[in-house]
């Protein structure tokens, strides 16, 4: 196969290389493209490659026009528009492939190169991860190699030579890219694309159906990273607050409308010293911030406006569609809500009429068994029932019917955290105790490589808050009564490892975990230093350089001056490099120019011996010193110690009596 490829004509070889580069650009997009788009692109690239290998003519204009029409129709049928991010990327990918069907001249190749650069950038519409960046760096080097190779029209230069030149070009351009990355002002996007709903995943939503969070527990991807200033609190105290759910229709829990939340004020009272930390939150397409319970002051979120609801949940003014880094401080010891019963608490007592009748009957029996009991006594009785009643924590509880609390308490006696929390809150409300569900993340783990605390989708959790006279809202995690290992630093449920990770884990139980920790630390460094390099961090950089109150104008000024200095340095490097060219050829060129002034115009390719012959014929005895000097110059070319001889010849050149 390799011999066959090596024997191909240069045009076929270069075409195949370009097709491979295009495939490398498109491959990371396959998961984001319609199936027909990926299939059509693959068919066109394979077709074009076979035409190049077999030296067959390219398809005619009507073929290309028909494929273009099919592409337009399929794009519109898939996206219902030809505009926007998704439709635009689909069109760019297919057009890049179709353009190869008219690759006949260098002009066509240049169009493909620059269309390839644009298609390469579209990968970052969907992912800015380190893996995507590395794949696109490889694609960039491939395109540069093809571009350099296209500028070598003579012969059959090896691709390795073009690759070395392309790598050197990228290396020389790296400092300029770094300067632009650090100092080019980061502004809001200058354009938008309709229908660009990012497919971020936070693992949470404004509603909770029985079974929804159980699926997330099998997702090992990262939801957020936290760096604490100082030692973190115990793992069992790490409750990161998300949506608070208060409305119940018998099967589904949902959050209250913003205007309904105002009926019960937050009335947050905190104790102790605050915990300060930074959060790097993955894209969620939701306006929720994750904060450790409970955050009294607004988190500092660059580029967003923050506000809170009375249920202690924090929001920003628009959905989070990109990686977001912010700082916050929280108090793990706190109280919230009214200390005396108010009319607004009725919302947290409502149950659908006729729903979960056996749970309501259980609440009535508990009142009979515990006459005169207060809220803490009823809570402890319910938790004791969970501990001793044969209840189990499982990821696969099966499909529940309409009366989910009844099924949990009396039939199945097993479930995930959402089943347990939901059934507990229903029981509390049946006992006339205001209660609600809080969703978020609990626990997490520390990465021993970079020291960041990592929250995964498998840490998604649901717990309860009950209202207690004289105290306010109190957190109760009924899942801990069923399975203490789900809360804190004990054994936690984890997804089954894949084949590769399972094989490594079999050989060394800690190797897979250490490899994952190292990779996540590297990826987190990419997130912290590249994706989270915001305008505020740019201005902080100027502040560190001595600017008292840096602005975008100062940033642009520094960038311009730095580019001027770099340009001057580049010009100086060019002059120095030019001066390092072969000094023997430079001295020969000076001699040729002196003779041209004397009226003897010699060709540039004439060697010193031929030049000496012409000098003797033209000037006779008057040119004898120049004749002899030229012969010595030619002999010096092959001398064993050329440096010293060339220096003497250079001195003689300045002293020669040149003929007129």
């Amino acid at each position: 196969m390799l011999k066959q490829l090596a024997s191909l004509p240069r045009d076929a070889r270069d075409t195949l290389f370009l097709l491979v580069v295009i495939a490398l650009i498109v491959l990371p997009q396959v998961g984001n493209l319609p199936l027909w788009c990926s299939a059509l692109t693959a068919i066109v690239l394979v077709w074009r490659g076979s035409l190049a290998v077999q030296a067959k003519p390219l398809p005619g204009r009507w073929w290309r026009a028909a494929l273009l029409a099919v592409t337009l129709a399929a794009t519109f049928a898939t996206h219902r528009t030809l505009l926007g991010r998704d439709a635009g990327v689909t069109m760019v990918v297919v057009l890049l492939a179709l353009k190869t069907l008219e690759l006949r001249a260098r002009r066509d190749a240049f169009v493909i190169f620059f269309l390839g650069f644009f298609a390469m950038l579209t990968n970052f519409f969907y992912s800015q991860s380190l893996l995507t960046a590395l794949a696109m760096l490889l694609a960039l080097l491939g395109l540069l190699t093809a571009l350099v190779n296209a500028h070598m029209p003579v012969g059959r230069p090896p691709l390795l030579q073009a690759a070395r030149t392309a790598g050197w070009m990228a290396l020389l351009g790296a400092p300029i890219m770094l300067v632009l990355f650090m100092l080019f002002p980061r502004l809001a996007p200058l354009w938008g694309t309709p229908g660009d709903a990012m497919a971020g995943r936070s693992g949470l939503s404004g509603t909770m159906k029985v079974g929804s969070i159980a699926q997330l527990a099998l997702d090992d991807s990262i939801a957020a990273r936290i760096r604490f200033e100082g030692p973190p609190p115990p793992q069992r105290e790490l409750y990161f607050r998300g949506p608070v759910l208060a409305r119940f229709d018998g099967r589904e829990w949902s959050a209250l409308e913003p205007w309904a939340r105002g009926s019960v004020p937050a009335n947050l009272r905190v104790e102790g010293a605050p915990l300060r930390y930074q959060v790097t939150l993955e894209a969620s397409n939701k306006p929720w911030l994750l904060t450790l319970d409970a955050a009294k002051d607004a988190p500092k979120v660059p580029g967003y406006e923050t506000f809170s609801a009375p249920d202690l949940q924090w929001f920003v003014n628009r959905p989070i569609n990109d990686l977001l880094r912010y700082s916050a401080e929280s108090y793990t010891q706190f109280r919230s809500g009214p200390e005396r019963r108010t009319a607004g608490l009725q919302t947290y007592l409502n149950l659908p009429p006729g729903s979960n009748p056996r749970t309501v009957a259980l609440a009535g029996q508990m009142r009979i068994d515990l006459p005169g009991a207060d809220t803490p006594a009823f809570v402890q009785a319910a938790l004791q029932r969970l501990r001793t009643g044969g209840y189990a924590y499982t990821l696969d509880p099966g499909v529940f019917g309409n009366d989910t609390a009844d099924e949990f308490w009396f039939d199945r006696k097993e479930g995930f955290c959402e089943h347990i929390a939901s059934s507990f809150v229903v029981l509390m409300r049946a006992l006339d105790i205001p209660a609600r569900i809080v969703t978020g993340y609990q626990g997490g783990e520390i990465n021993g490589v970079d020291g960041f605390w990592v929250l995964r989708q498998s840490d998604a959790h649901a717990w309860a808050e009950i209202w207690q006279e004289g105290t306010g809202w109190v957190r109760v995690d009924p899942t801990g009564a069923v399975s203490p290992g789900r809360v804190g630093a004990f054994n936690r449920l984890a997804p089954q490892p894949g084949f590769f990770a399972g094989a490594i884990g079999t050989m060394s139980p800690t190797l897979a975990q250490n490899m994952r920790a190292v990779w996540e630390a590297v990826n987190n460094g990419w997130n912290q230093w590249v994706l989270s390099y915001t305008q505020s961090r740019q201005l902080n950089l100027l502040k560190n350089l001595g600017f008292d109150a840096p602005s975008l104008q100062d940033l642009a000024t520094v960038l311009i001056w730095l580019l001027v200095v770099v340009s001057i340095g580049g010009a100086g490097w060019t002059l120095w490099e030019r001066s390092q060219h072969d000094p023997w050829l430079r001295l020969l060129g000076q001699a040729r120019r002196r003779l041209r002034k004397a009226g003897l115009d010699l060709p540039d390719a004439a060697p010193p011996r031929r030049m000496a012959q012409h000098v003797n014929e033209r000037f006779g005895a008057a040119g004898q010193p120049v004749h002899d000097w030229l012969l010595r110059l030619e002999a010096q070319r092959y001398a064993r110690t050329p440096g010293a001889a060339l220096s003497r010849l250079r001195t003689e050149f300045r002293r020669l009596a040149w003929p007129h």
Side-chain angles (χ1 to χ4, degrees):
M1 176 65 72
L2 294 178
K3 291 182 179 179
Q4 183 180 1
L5 291 176
S7 62
L8 289 174
R10 179 184 173 182
D11 287 346
R13 182 205 66 175
D14 293 352
T15 299
L16 290 179
F17 177 76
L18 183 57
L19 295 177
V20 170
V21 174
I22 293 174
L24 180 61
I25 294 172
V26 175
L27 188 60
Q29 293 274 44
V30 169
N32 306 313
L33 296 172
L35 181 59
W36 67 264
C37 176
S38 301
L40 179 60
T41 301
I43 291 172
V44 170
L45 293 181
V46 172
W47 183 21
R48 183 62 180 88
S50 65
L51 294 178
V53 171
Q54 300 173 28
K56 291 184 177 180
L58 297 181
R61 180 182 305 173
W62 292 109
W63 264 104
R64 298 195 302 271
L67 289 174
L68 178 59
V70 169
T71 298
L72 292 172
T75 302
F76 186 82
T78 302
H79 302 288
R80 298 300 176 186
T81 181
L82 296 179
L83 303 176
R85 183 196 65 181
D86 294 338
V89 171
T90 300
M91 290 288 295
V92 167
V93 169
V94 180
L95 290 178
L96 176 60
L98 293 180
K99 184 62 181 176
T100 63
L101 296 178
E102 55 180 11
L103 177 58
R104 293 184 174 87
R106 291 177 64 197
R107 180 185 62 183
D108 300 319
F110 291 150
V111 173
I112 293 178
F113 294 150
F114 294 109
L115 188 58
F117 284 122
F118 185 80
M120 184 179 67
L121 292 176
T122 63
N123 281 273
F124 295 104
F125 288 167
Y126 300 95
S127 172
Q128 298 86 38
S129 68
L130 181 58
L131 281 178
T132 302
L134 292 176
M136 291 306 100
L137 176 61
L138 185 60
L140 172 66
L141 293 176
L143 280 175
L144 288 177
T145 300
L147 185 60
V148 170
N149 185 66
H151 283 84
M152 298 178 175
V154 180
R156 195 173 186 272
L159 288 174
L160 185 59
Q161 178 183 350
R164 283 197 295 265
T165 303
W168 180 244
M169 290 170 55
L171 191 62
L172 291 178
I176 298 176
M177 290 189 294
L178 180 61
V179 169
L180 292 174
F181 172 78
M182 297 291 292
L183 296 177
F184 193 86
R186 275 163 164 69
L187 304 174
L190 299 181
W191 61 86
T193 53
D196 291 350
M198 298 291 286
R201 294 158 52 190
S202 73
L204 303 173
S205 68
T207 61
M208 187 187 80
K209 279 189 176 181
V210 173
S212 62
I213 296 183
Q215 297 173 356
L216 285 173
L218 297 176
D219 187 351
D220 207 29
S221 61
I222 293 177
R225 293 179 174 89
I226 296 95
R227 179 184 285 279
F228 289 97
E229 296 182 10
Q235 196 175 30
R236 64 180 178 274
E237 296 181 7
L238 293 177
Y239 284 84
F240 292 88
R241 197 178 193 89
V244 179
L245 311 178
R247 182 180 287 110
F248 184 52
D249 64 3
R251 183 177 178 86
E252 182 177 15
W253 290 89
S254 58
L256 296 175
E257 293 82 1
W259 58 84
R261 298 173 187 240
S263 58
V264 178
N267 192 23
L268 179 61
R269 293 93 67 194
V270 297
E271 300 177 8
L275 283 169
R276 295 180 176 86
Y277 54 95
Q278 287 186 336
V279 181
T280 304
L281 184 65
E282 296 291 331
S284 64
N285 200 30
K286 300 293 189 297
W288 307 320
L289 296 176
L290 283 182
T291 57
L292 184 64
D293 257 355
K296 182 180 179 181
D297 299 319
K300 298 177 181 178
V301 188
Y304 289 82
E305 297 178 8
T306 58
F307 59 95
S308 66
D311 55 22
L312 306 184
Q313 186 183 359
W314 284 95
F315 300 84
V316 289
N317 59 325
R318 63 180 184 274
I320 299 170
N321 292 332
D322 297 299
L323 195 75
L324 181 63
R325 185 181 183 188
Y326 56 92
S327 57
E329 59 179 37
S330 297
Y331 298 80
T332 57
Q333 300 179 29
F334 65 94
R335 295 181 180 182
S336 67
E339 298 183 24
R340 297 290 178 262
R341 188 177 287 254
T342 64
L345 290 173
Q346 181 61 40
T347 303
Y348 303 97
L349 289 170
N350 293 334
L351 289 173
S355 71
N356 298 291
R358 288 183 289 173
T359 303
V360 175
L362 174 62
Q365 186 61 44
M366 291 175 66
R367 291 194 194 94
I368 296 173
D369 296 339
L370 299 171
D374 57 2
T375 296
F378 283 128
V379 170
Q380 290 304 317
L383 295 178
Q384 183 65 18
R385 183 184 181 93
L386 290 172
R387 294 188 191 100
T388 61
Y391 296 91
Y393 179 75
T394 178
L395 290 176
D396 189 17
V399 178
F400 277 56
N402 292 327
D403 295 327
T404 56
D406 282 357
E407 289 192 46
F408 174 78
W409 285 115
F410 300 100
D411 300 328
R412 300 174 182 266
K413 292 191 175 183
E414 62 179 10
F416 186 57
C417 59
E418 63 180 5
H419 305 86
I420 303 171
S422 174
S423 302
F424 180 84
V425 169
V426 170
L427 179 59
M428 290 297 105
R429 291 189 176 188
L431 286 165
D432 198 35
I433 299 173
R436 62 193 183 188
I437 293 178
V438 183
T439 60
Y441 296 90
Q442 198 285 320
E445 61 184 357
I446 193 169
N447 187 310
V449 177
D450 59 9
F452 276 76
W453 199 270
V454 179
L455 290 179
R456 303 182 184 279
Q457 302 292 3
S458 55
D459 295 317
H461 193 47
W463 60 94
E465 283 185 340
I466 57 99
W467 182 85
Q468 183 176 327
E469 185 79 24
T471 301
W473 291 108
V474 177
R475 180 198 302 141
V476 179
D477 194 344
T479 302
V482 177
S483 175
R486 176 59 183 89
V487 180
F490 303 97
N491 294 327
R492 303 165 70 97
L493 293 175
Q496 290 294 327
F499 175 79
F500 182 70
I504 295 178
T506 302
M507 294 184 296
S508 173
T510 60
L511 180 59
Q513 183 177 357
N514 292 337
M515 289 176 61
R516 185 177 73 169
V518 171
W519 168 248
E520 288 180 351
V522 172
N523 201 50
N524 182 48
W526 169 262
N527 292 340
Q528 299 295 327
W529 294 103
V530 178
L531 299 186
S532 295
Y533 186 71
T534 58
Q535 185 184 105
S536 60
R537 295 184 69 183
Q538 284 185 316
L539 298 180
N540 287 337
L541 175 63
L542 292 187
K543 190 177 294 184
N544 294 334
L545 295 176
F547 288 82
D548 294 331
S551 62
L552 289 179
Q553 183 177 357
D554 297 327
L555 193 66
T557 302
V558 172
L559 176 62
I560 291 173
W561 275 107
L562 192 56
L563 290 178
V564 168
V565 171
V566 171
S567 300
I568 294 175
W573 170 270
T574 302
L575 293 175
W576 179 84
E577 187 181 39
R578 183 176 298 175
S579 69
Q580 299 305 305
H581 288 170
D582 191 337
W584 187 88
L585 291 175
R586 189 167 61 252
L587 188 57
L588 179 63
Q590 292 174 359
R592 186 178 291 107
R593 287 192 291 273
R594 292 295 295 268
L595 290 174
R596 188 174 293 116
K597 289 182 180 180
L600 182 60
D601 192 4
L602 299 172
D604 293 340
R609 181 174 296 276
R610 178 65 59 84
M611 293 171 62
Q613 181 181 353
H614 284 290
V615 167
N616 194 27
E617 293 174 354
R618 176 70 179 270
F619 301 108
Q624 190 63 37
V626 176
H627 172 274
D628 296 341
W629 181 86
L630 287 170
L631 293 180
R632 290 196 299 275
L633 180 65
E634 183 174 276
Q636 186 275 340
R637 189 64 167 175
Y638 308 100
R640 292 186 176 182
T641 56
L646 186 63
S647 178
R648 289 195 299 270
L649 287 171
R650 192 180 292 112
T651 302
E652 292 176 6
F653 175 83
R654 291 193 293 267
R655 297 175 180 174
L656 277 176
W658 294 87
H660 300 288

